[in-house]
Amino acid sequence: MNDTAPLTPGSTIGILGGGQLGRMLAMAAVQLGYRCIGYAPAGDNVAADVCTDFFENGWGDKAALAAFASQCDVVTWEFENVPLSAVEAIPADLLAPDPRALEVAQDRLSEKRFVEELGARCAPYARVDSEDDFARAIDRVGTPGILKTARDGYDGKGQWRIASAHEAEGVRFPGRPCIYEGMVEFETEFSVILVRGREGTVHFWDSSANTHEGGMLVQSLLPAGPLVEAQVEKARDIARQTANALGYIGVLTLEFFATKSGPVFNEMAPRVHNSGHWTIEGAATSQFENHIRAVCGLPLGGTETRFASIDMRNIVGEDALTAHTILSEPGEPHLHLYGKREARDGRKMGHVTRVSHGVSHEKP
Ligand code: AMP
C-alpha cells in the first residue's frame, strides 16, 4: 500500500479478526467515511456489529479469503494470530502492515531475537521443544520462571509459572514448542504504542503504567510515574527501530518491564492494543483512528495526551452485566461495552476510561 494515493471516502477496509479491537477499528473507520468488511472463523465476532459485511469462514478457506479480498481496497488485522497462510492468500499489495510483522510477533522466540538484534534487553530465556529441554532450561535459566507456549498464547493463557526446580518436576511439557523465561523483578510494566505512516513518520502516545492479574491486563494509568518516564526513551528507541526495520505501517505495540536496571522487553503486538484504549478519549487522536489513517494513507493525527490523569480499567466476565451502573458515577466515566454474547469468567467484555484534569487515581 506504499505508493498509492490515500483511500477516498467510501473505500472498503478489510479487517482480519472479529474481536473488540476490530470493532473499535471499524468504529473509527466508519467515522472517517470508510466501509469495513470483517473476516474471522465463526464465533462471537463482535466486530460484525459495526461492519457492512462479515465473512464467517475458516482461516484455511482460500476461496472465501479471495472473495473477501476482492471487495477490499486495503486489508489489515486486529488479531496477531491470523495464520500466515491466510494472510498470504490476500494479494500483498492490499496488506498493511507488512505480514513480516506478524511472522516475527507470532513466535515469542523470533520476536525476542528480533529486538535483541536491535539492542533490547530481554529476560533470560531458553527454547523448550521437549521434556529434556525443559529440564535443561530450568538448570540454565533458574527459578522462578514462566513456561510459555511459543505461539498462540494470550491474556496469560498457555503459561505456567514455576516457583522452584521442585515445582518444575510437577509441570508436564505441553507437547508444543515453548519458551522458558526467568521471572523479571519489575517495579511496573509499561507499553510503548506508536503509529508509523506510509512515509515513515513515527508518533508515540504517552506510555501508561499497566497492571496485569493472572497474565491479563486489568488497568492502564497515566501518568505512568517517574521510573517509566526515565526509561521510556530507551524503550521508544527500540520500538522505533523495530517499526523501521519491518517497514511497518499502522499501530505497533511493545511491552516492557521497568526494572531497577532499565527497560526489559517482554513482547510485541503488531496491532492496536488494550493498553491503548485510553487514547479514545484521552489523546488528540486514538490508536484506532491513527491505525486507520496510516493504512489508508491519510495524514496521521497528533498523539498528545489531553488530560492530567487517565485511568483505564477492563470490565471482565459478569461485571459487564451491571456495568451500566458506572454511568451514574461522578466524573463522567467513558464506558465501552463490546457486545459479547457470553460473559465468561476472565473474558474481556468492555472497559471504562476515567479522565481528569487533576492527578489522582487509585490502583485497583
Ligand atoms: P505475556 O503474555 O508474555 O505478556 O505475559 C503476561 C503477563 O505475565 C505480563 O504482562 C507480566 O505481568 C507477566 N509476565 C510474563 N512474563 C514475565 C516474566 N518473564 N517475568 C515477570 N512477569 C512476567
Side-chain angles (χ1 to χ4, degrees), residues 51-272:
C51 288
T52 322
D53 197 2
F54 201 93
F55 284 65
E56 280 207 332
N57 293 92
W59 294 125
D61 189 339
K62 297 279 154 62
L65 283 161
F68 161 78
S70 72
Q71 295 183 33
C72 299
D73 298 296
V74 64
V75 175
T76 191
W77 56 78
E78 60 103 46
F79 174 58
E80 83 249 38
N81 292 323
V82 178
L84 270 187
S85 56
V87 179
E88 281 160 8
I90 311 264
D93 62 344
L94 287 183
L95 288 165
D98 190 302
R100 170 89 180 111
L102 274 185
E103 194 181 349
V104 171
Q106 282 181 352
D107 186 301
R108 290 184 184 274
L109 278 157
S110 72
E111 68 182 359
K112 284 194 195 320
R113 288 182 185 140
F114 193 89
V115 296
E116 277 178 334
E117 296 252 309
L118 301 174
R121 196 152 63 92
C122 299
Y125 63 91
R127 180 184 172 138
V128 174
D129 288 333
S130 67
E131 207 72 62
D132 286 350
D133 282 352
F134 184 32
R136 275 192 291 270
I138 297 280
D139 276 352
R140 216 183 86 208
V141 175
T143 53
I146 311 189
L147 182 70
K148 302 179 179 178
T149 54
R151 307 177 76 92
D152 295 330
Y154 68 98
D155 288 347
K157 296 181 177 64
Q159 299 192 1
W160 297 268
R161 286 167 190 246
I162 290 152
S164 64
H166 175 68
E167 199 178 295
E169 287 164 20
V171 175
R172 280 196 55 205
F173 169 66
R176 41 201 286 229
C178 286
I179 181 170
Y180 178 71
E181 287 177 22
M183 194 69 88
V184 176
E185 272 190 42
F186 59 82
E187 307 293 311
T188 182
E189 294 185 69
F190 68 101
S191 43
V192 171
I193 309 182
L194 65 77
V195 60
R196 185 172 183 277
R198 281 191 194 170
E199 296 78 26
T201 313
V202 171
H203 293 315
F204 294 96
W205 282 271
D206 281 335
S207 284
S208 55
N210 300 329
T211 305
H212 293 77
E213 279 172 14
M216 188 172 91
L217 183 75
V218 291
Q219 185 187 36
S220 291
L221 281 180
L222 286 115
L227 187 70
V228 172
E229 274 147 33
Q231 301 193 2
V232 76
E233 271 318 314
K234 208 164 173 180
R236 282 184 176 182
D237 185 47
I238 298 292
R240 184 189 288 103
Q241 287 190 64
T242 303
N244 288 341
L246 293 168
Y248 199 86
I249 298 173
V251 170
L252 173 72
T253 307
L254 272 73
E255 293 183 77
F256 291 88
F257 303 115
T259 74
K260 289 203 174 81
S261 52
V264 172
F265 169 83
N266 179 29
E267 64 171 354
M268 73 170 91
R271 55 166 170 77
V272 288

